[in-house]
Amino acid sequence: MALPPSDHPCWLKGANGGLAIIKTDNLALQLLVKRIERSLDPEFKKAEDIKAFFAKWERMLDAEIAQLTSI
């Protein structure tokens, strides 16, 4: 499954806590969720970090990517 485009609202919603609703067994994604929740970075920076993570691990996160648009 392809990643949503950079301007898709799921990235900002994920940066605002929406990422926590994604169901996953992937430890790296679980750690990212916690890091994003605790981060004091601006929303756009968090969204960029989330997008970069999913772009890097796209091949391993098919089920999670499918859930992104429902955030």
Side-chain angles (χ1 to χ4, degrees):
M1 172 156 240
L3 286 176
S6 296
D7 60 348
H8 195 282
C10 70
W11 302 117
L12 279 177
K13 288 179 182 178
N16 289 315
L19 199 59
I21 68 167
I22 291 181
K23 302 211 184 305
T24 185
D25 291 331
N26 184 288
L27 180 59
L29 180 55
Q30 292 171 356
L31 291 172
L32 174 70
V33 170
K34 294 299 178 190
R35 184 172 62 83
I36 292 297
E37 287 175 351
R38 294 179 179 151
S39 175
L40 299 176
D41 289 339
E43 292 174 358
F44 75 90
K45 174 66 172 124
K46 292 180 189 181
E48 288 175 353
D49 290 348
I50 294 167
K51 171 104 168 67
F53 176 85
F54 276 95
K56 181 177 181 178
W57 300 105
E58 184 174 2
R59 291 180 20 193
M60 296 178 58
L61 297 173
D62 284 336
E64 291 82 355
I65 291 171
Q67 297 175 61
L68 280 175
T69 55
S70 66
I71 294 178

